[in-house]
Amino acid sequence: MIRILLADDEAMIRAGVRAILASDPSLEVVAEAADGRQAVDLAIGHRPDVVLLDIRMPRLDGLAAAAELRKVAPGAAVVMLTTFGEDDYIAKALDVGAAGFLLKAGDPRELIAGIHAVAEGAAYLSPKVAQRVITQLSGGRMAKGAAARERVESLTDREREVLALLGAGLSNAEIARRLHIVEGTVKAYVSAILTRLDVRNRVQAAIIAYEAGLVA
């Protein structure tokens, strides 16, 4: 079972999301929060695998809550679920360590797919969000390419291979199968890559892989 903590200040939204998640028997909502502060407190007690956070909430907004969750519940993957798709929200969410970004107006299947992806150690952006990120990257890719390639040079050949697959969107399990190694070894490589590149999460590492030309 994938244990989920759902945080949104609108009870009707929480009920709708919970109903969607109930369609997948491998997903379980273990707690609900009406604001960011409550979400952080509940995460400490329930230790969820995935936390779904709305961005605009009272007391503590989703972005601030995500930053705190990285400290108090590092094992939880954070997914931002919001009606707001502006570029500044996307950038801030990724900067505070979110592993996924989904729009409430998206297909319910995206929500379930995103939860499974981040629970398996991958990153997930809704198609509309991914398109915006790619557009931003494409605009500045040439200028950033040299710096990204220099950062990637600090990695071993195997780490660069893992980074390329990570950048292509593969989960740890998929990378393990592709390279014929155990998943625990992949996790060790990913941890080393994040440290060497001085980035907070897989999304930021994937961006560097893209800018360095490791993935199309």
Side-chain angles (χ1 to χ4, degrees), residues 4 20 39 64 83 123 125 127 129-130 136 150-151 176 183 190 208 210 212:
I4 302 165
I20 293 172
T83 55
L125 303 178
V129 173
Q136 290 181 347
E150 183 176 351
R151 296 175 73 176
E183 189 172 349
V190 171
I208 292 177
Y210 176 84

Side-chain angles (χ1 to χ4, degrees), residues 162-186:
V162 172
L163 176 61
L165 295 175
L166 183 158
L170 274 65
S171 67
N172 288 347
E174 291 169 332
I175 293 173
R177 288 193 294 270
R178 183 73 63 89
L179 300 180
H180 305 291
I181 57 180
V182 299
E183 189 172 349
T185 301
V186 175

Side-chain angles (χ1 to χ4, degrees), residues 9-104:
D9 59 329
E10 296 186 39
M12 187 174 294
I13 295 295
R14 294 200 306 273
V17 172
R18 188 170 64 249
I20 293 172
L21 299 180
S23 67
D24 187 328
S26 68
L27 305 180
E28 178 186 10
V29 176
V30 296
E32 294 185 25
D35 58 63
R37 173 54 57 200
Q38 187 180 20
V40 173
D41 293 340
L42 289 173
I44 295 174
H46 288 273
R47 295 295 177 184
D49 301 305
V50 177
V51 179
L52 289 177
L53 288 176
D54 185 22
I55 285 186
R56 291 188 176 180
M57 292 187 292
R59 292 214 294 167
L60 194 68
D61 65 30
L63 297 174
E68 287 200 23
L69 285 168
R70 199 177 64 211
K71 300 174 184 177
V72 302
V78 173
V79 176
M80 310 306 297
L81 181 62
T82 180
T83 55
F84 307 99
E86 291 86 349
D87 294 343
D88 59 336
Y89 282 117
I90 298 170
K92 289 176 182 177
L94 299 180
D95 189 53
V96 296
F101 197 106
L102 297 167
L103 301 180
K104 292 178 181 177

